[in-house]
Amino acid sequence: MNFVLKYLAFIFLLNNILFGVVGYYQIANIMFLAIMTFTFICSIYSLKILKDVVFNKSFQLFFLLNLLNIVYYLFLEFGDLESFKYLVARFIQFSIFSISVYLLKDNFVSTLLFFLKYITIGCLIISIVFNFPDLTSRYQGIFQNPNEFSILMVIGFAYILLVEKRNIYNYILLILFLYGIVLSGSRSAILGVFMAVFVYLFHHKSNNLINTILILSSLLLFSFFGGQNNAVQRIFEFDLINRKYEYLYALETFLQKPIFGYGLKNYAHIDFSLIQFDDVKIDFGAHNAYLSILVQYGAFFSIIFFSIFIYFIVKIYKTKLDIFNENILKVKYLLFVVSYTLVNGLFENTIIGINFFQTNLFWLIICYLTCVIYQKNESRSISN
C-alpha cells in the first residue's frame, strides 16, 4: 500500500499521457477512475494521511485552492453533480501530489527526473517506430494532437540539454527531440526551446556556446527540411486567426457572467451559442488558461485564485536555489518546466485541467517546491 501511494503521482502522470495516445482513451479513463477511487478512499479513511499530508501546512497552497473550490460550490453551485465531480477530482489530484512528495521526501527529484527522462524518450522512439513522419502535415507521433506530442518533446529536449552530460548518445537525442518539435508545427513549442536555451546560456554563460550554435543551426536546417506546416515556417506565416477568435469568444463568454462565472464544471469553456456560423476554426475551449479561469470562476473568485496563485509563484522565484539541496541545474530544469507551463498557458488550457499531462506535472513540481520552501523556513525560524 505504502509503495503504491509513494509512486501514485507518477502512475497518475502516465495515465495522463495515455489519455492523449490514439486508441487508449477508454483504457486511460478506466485507469483514471481507479486511481481517483483508490486515492479518495485512502484520504478519507486514513487519519494519518489526512493529518500528515492533506492538512499539512507544507501543502497550504493546495489547501487554500481546495477551500476556494468548496466555498464556490457551497454558495453558488450546491447540488450540481458535475461541479461536485470537479471539486472532488481536484481535491484528489492535489492529494496525490502531496502524498507522493511527502513519502518520497529527499528522493523526489531524482525519481521525477528519472521518470521524465524515460517517458519522453519512450514517447519519441515509439512515435517514430509506429508513426514515422511523412512530412506532409503536422506530426503528432502516437498522440491525438500534435500539441500534446510537442509538449513532451520540449520537456525531453530541455532535460537532455540542462541535466544530462554531453555525449554522442545525448546529442542524437537532442537533435531527435528538436526535429520532433519542428515537425509538430507547434509555435509555442519553439518558444519552449528558446526558453530552455536561455536557461542553458544563463547558467553556462559563453562556456558552451557551441551547443547553442548547434541548436540554432539545426532549427534553421529543419525549417527547410521539415515538410509542410513545420513549426518554424508557421511562426513566420503569422496565421493566428483561430487563436484570435478563441480569445475573443472567451472574453465574450466571460462578459456574459462576469461576476461569478460559469461554474467549476465549465473549465476551459466557451459559450458556443455566441459563435458566428463562419467561424469554422473554433474548437473546444479558450486555448488560454488565464481566460479559462476567468470564465470558470468569474471576476470575484478569479481575483482570489490569482492572488493565492501569484503569491506562491513569486515566493518560488524569489527563493535561492541552494535551499533545495539539489544539483543547481536540476532545480533550474524544474523551474523551466514551471515557466514553460505558465507561458504555454497563453496558448493552451494548462493549469486548470484534471487529466492533462503538462498541467499535472506543473502542479506536482509546484507542490514539491512550495513544500521544501515552507519546511526550510520553518527549520530556520526554529533555529533562530
Side-chain angles (χ1 to χ4, degrees):
M1 175 74 75
N2 192 61
F3 178 85
V4 175
L5 287 173
K6 184 183 289 188
Y7 297 102
L8 193 58
F10 304 101
I11 298 171
F12 188 57
L13 288 175
L14 182 60
N15 174 245
N16 296 160
I17 292 174
L18 284 179
F19 268 110
V21 176
V22 175
Y24 279 83
Y25 183 85
Q26 292 300 326
I27 295 173
N29 197 45
I30 294 170
M31 185 177 172
F32 173 77
L33 293 174
I35 293 170
M36 288 285 163
T37 303
F38 173 78
T39 309
F40 184 72
I41 293 172
C42 290
S43 299
I44 296 300
Y45 288 100
S46 174
L47 292 177
K48 182 173 176 57
I49 289 178
L50 283 172
K51 178 176 177 286
D52 294 345
V53 183
V54 178
F55 296 127
N56 190 316
K57 287 186 178 180
S58 300
F59 308 110
Q60 56 187 299
L61 168 61
F62 288 169
F63 175 82
L64 292 172
L65 293 181
N66 280 325
L67 182 62
L68 177 67
N69 287 338
I70 290 170
V71 171
Y72 186 98
Y73 179 78
L74 290 177
F75 283 91
L76 296 174
E77 293 192 293
F78 186 72
D80 189 307
L81 180 60
E82 292 304 313
S83 288
F84 180 73
K85 288 180 181 178
Y86 178 89
L87 174 71
V88 173
R90 197 66 151 164
F91 170 80
I92 295 173
Q93 176 191 37
F94 287 160
S95 297
I96 288 171
F97 303 150
S98 302
I99 291 168
S100 288
V101 168
Y102 178 81
L103 293 178
L104 281 167
K105 296 179 181 176
D106 294 337
N107 294 321
F108 173 79
V109 173
S110 59
T111 305
L112 176 63
L113 295 184
F114 178 86
F115 173 83
L116 290 177
K117 176 182 178 179
Y118 287 103
I119 205 70
T120 53
I121 293 174
C123 288
L124 171 65
I125 294 173
I126 293 171
S127 291
I128 293 172
V129 171
F130 290 97
N131 184 20
F132 195 80
D134 59 11
L135 305 183
T136 59
S137 60
R138 293 182 62 186
Y139 183 62
Q140 59 194 52
I142 58 172
F143 293 87
Q144 302 176 41
N145 186 308
N147 292 332
E148 290 184 60
F149 171 74
S150 68
I151 287 168
L152 281 163
M153 296 302 100
V154 170
I155 291 170
F157 169 84
Y159 177 84
I160 299 298
L161 179 65
L162 298 177
V163 180
E164 289 290 291
K165 296 179 180 179
R166 300 280 79 84
N167 55 45
I168 296 297
Y169 170 73
N170 285 326
Y171 273 119
I172 292 172
L173 283 175
L174 201 67
I175 295 301
L176 287 175
F177 276 126
L178 189 61
Y179 195 40
I181 291 166
V182 173
L183 291 181
S184 74
S186 173
R187 290 165 289 201
S188 62
I190 294 294
L191 183 57
V193 168
F194 280 105
M195 289 175 66
V197 171
F198 175 79
V199 174
Y200 180 80
L201 281 174
F202 186 77
H203 180 81
H204 291 286
K205 303 298 187 288
S206 60
N207 295 334
N208 286 317
L209 194 59
I210 189 167
N211 290 324
T212 304
I213 295 172
L214 173 65
I215 291 168
L216 296 178
S217 300
S218 298
L219 273 177
L220 183 63
L221 181 67
F222 295 157
S223 68
F224 291 109
F225 300 98
Q228 302 174 21
N229 292 315
N230 76 67
V232 178
Q233 289 182 1
R234 292 185 75 230
I235 287 175
F236 291 103
E237 288 173 0
F238 299 104
D239 181 18
L240 300 174
I241 191 71
N242 58 327
R243 285 290 191 268
K244 181 185 78 172
Y245 278 125
E246 283 160 354
Y247 298 162
L248 289 174
Y249 280 123
L251 283 171
E252 196 168 338
T253 299
F254 164 69
L255 292 173
Q256 301 302 306
K257 297 182 179 181
I259 307 302
F260 296 116
Y262 279 74
L264 297 179
K265 66 177 179 284
N266 290 310
Y267 63 95
H269 177 69
I270 282 181
D271 184 349
F272 282 91
S273 67
L274 301 172
I275 297 177
Q276 299 175 14
F277 179 77
D278 292 334
D279 297 330
V280 294
K281 292 186 177 181
I282 302 299
D283 58 8
F284 174 78
H287 279 279
N288 184 297
Y290 310 104
L291 288 176
S292 296
I293 290 167
L294 279 173
V295 170
Q296 181 184 25
Y297 285 114
F300 183 79
F301 280 88
S302 288
I303 289 172
I304 300 173
F305 176 91
F306 284 121
S307 298
I308 297 169
F309 183 72
I310 292 171
Y311 171 78
F312 282 95
I313 291 295
V314 170
K315 180 180 282 191
I316 288 170
Y317 282 110
K318 287 176 67 176
T319 301
K320 293 182 179 179
L321 299 184
D322 56 7
I323 198 176
F324 298 102
N325 295 328
E326 292 286 347
N327 178 291
I328 293 297
L329 268 176
K330 290 181 180 179
V331 179
K332 286 184 176 180
Y333 172 70
L334 297 182
L335 290 173
F336 160 78
V337 175
V338 170
S339 303
Y340 173 48
T341 305
L342 291 172
V343 171
N344 204 32
L346 296 169
F347 314 105
E348 299 291 343
N349 296 314
T350 58
I351 301 175
I352 57 170
I354 299 296
N355 51 26
F356 184 49
F357 178 78
Q358 187 177 25
T359 300
N360 288 307
L361 179 60
F362 169 81
W363 285 116
L364 178 60
I365 293 174
I366 291 293
C367 179
Y368 165 74
L369 296 175
T370 53
C371 176
V372 172
I373 291 169
Y374 176 83
Q375 290 176 351
K376 294 293 184 180
N377 289 338
E378 280 292 293
S379 63
R380 284 176 179 176
S381 62
I382 292 172
S383 62
N384 292 335

